[in-house]
């Protein structure tokens, strides 16, 4: 078969041409049942699994460093300088390292990973990311016995990021994961999307993506990865601990204090297309539920 370039065809065509698609979304066995389930659910499942267009993925963004409205990141990040770029891996490790973006791209092969992004605001997209498991990058260091969590830090550069001139969040943007969450194969270092290098507004040169958690856990433009003993306080926990917990697993049964999390709007669909049901762990429960065995997910939201 002729190799097709992403730029030549629409996402919808890619979707129809690729049989591996549903599988890579993490629906494995359940997708086999698609053909036999009633029409209503069939169409919901189809809506939920369709790739979001390149245009929507790159013009409808949350990236407060470049402004708080959805089009701001696209408009304001085009001249952001992403090279040279170095990431420091430090904290509770035997020997901290600094690794350049060049070394990262030479050492680790990025593969296509199609995952759904569910924003805590109640919308979702399906994005063909390019990336590799964070565990591979983390294996460059040996954590000490004290290490329990990992803190991710985005770049601080108010000269280039005008959003950082205002105290919208406590800059730099920080996020955190438990080490076992960070080591999970679905936790991805993202270097691109739609087969291209990562656009600035999506977190270039490198961001993380955690498919089963709300989008805000997936910090962009990362410069520091720190192994720590205590649970880190993320920027969103700092801003509003009542609304944003450390775990922030996608959970339709735990509402945000100001709105329901039961359903989501699919970006790119016409306004009359109904919202779809939000899935526990964003649909990745088969893979990740065991990380939370015995935990009260209402308490640890
Ligand atoms: N540094 C940084 N990372 C961030 C954000 C941000 O404002 N700053 N927004 C988060 C939120 S709320 C979401 S939903 C996703 C959006 O990613 P996307 O714009 O690539 O779709 O990025 C997350 N990562
Ligand atoms: Mo978000």
């Amino acid at each position: 078969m002729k190799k097709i370039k992403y730029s030549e065809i629409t996402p919808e065509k890619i979707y129809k041409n690729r049989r591996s698609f549903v599988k890579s979304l993490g629906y494995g066995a359940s997708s086999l049942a698609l053909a036999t389930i009633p029409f209503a659910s069939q169409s919901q499942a189809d809506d939920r699994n369709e790739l979001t267009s390149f245009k929507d993925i790159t013009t409808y963004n949350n990236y407060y460093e470049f402004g708080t409205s959805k089009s701001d990141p696209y408009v304001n990040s085009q001249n952001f300088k992403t090279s040279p770029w170095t990431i420091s891996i430090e904290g509770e490790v035997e020997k901290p390292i600094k690794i350049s973006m060049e070394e990262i791209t030479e050492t680790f092969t990025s593969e296509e990973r199609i995952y759904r992004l569910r924003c805590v605001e109640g919308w979702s997209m399906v994005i063909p990311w390019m990336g590799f498991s964070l565990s591979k990058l983390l294996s460059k260091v040996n954590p000490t016995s004290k290490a329990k969590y990992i803190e991710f830090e985005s770049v601080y550069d108010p000269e280039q990021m005008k959003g950082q001139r205002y105290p919208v969040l406590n800059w730099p943007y920080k996020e955190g994961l438990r080490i076992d969450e960070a080591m999970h194969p679905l936790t991805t270092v993202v270097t691109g999307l739609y087969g291209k290098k990562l656009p600035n507004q999506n977190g270039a040169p490198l961001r993380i993506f955690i498919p089963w958690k709300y989008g805000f856990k997936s910090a962009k433009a990362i410069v520091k990865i720190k192994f720590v003993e205590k649970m880190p306080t993320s920027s969103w926990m700092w801003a509003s601990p009542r609304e944003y917990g450390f775990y922030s697993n996608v959970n339709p049964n735990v509402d945000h204090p100001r709105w329901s999390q039961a359903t989501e709007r699919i970006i790119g669909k016409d306004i009359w297309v109904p919202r779809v049901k939000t899935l526990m762990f964003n649909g990745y429960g088969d893979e990740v539920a065991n990380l939370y065995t015995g935990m009260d997910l209402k308490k640890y939201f």
Side-chain angles (χ1 to χ4, degrees), residues 46-90:
D46 282 354
D47 285 347
R48 193 187 273 130
N49 294 344
E50 219 171 276
L51 287 189
T52 306
S53 71
F54 181 80
K55 185 163 182 228
D56 283 334
I57 294 171
T58 56
T59 58
Y60 189 92
N61 300 99
N62 273 338
Y63 198 169
Y64 279 16
E65 285 88 335
F66 291 108
T68 53
S69 69
K70 296 289 180 263
S71 54
D72 282 346
Y74 168 71
V75 173
N76 298 325
S77 72
Q78 295 313 312
N79 296 322
F80 178 61
K81 217 170 149 258
T82 56
S83 105
W85 196 274
T86 305
I87 290 153
S88 166
I89 310 182
E90 55 178 67

Side-chain angles (χ1 to χ4, degrees), residues 236-254:
W236 285 106
M237 289 162 75
W238 189 277
S240 185
R242 202 175 66 88
E243 295 176 306
Y244 308 106
F246 176 78
Y247 285 94
S248 292
N249 293 317
V250 174
N251 188 342
N253 310 313
V254 177

Side-chain angles (χ1 to χ4, degrees), residues 218-233:
S218 299
K220 297 177 170 180
I222 288 178
V223 290
K224 196 191 282 183
I225 299 176
K226 192 173 178 184
F227 286 74
V228 295
E229 190 177 355
K230 303 236 162 66
M231 181 185 284
T233 304

Side-chain angles (χ1 to χ4, degrees), residues 88-99:
S88 166
I89 310 182
E90 55 178 67
E92 290 295 342
V93 293
E94 279 167 16
K95 203 168 151 286
I97 60 161
K98 283 189 163 52
I99 183 165

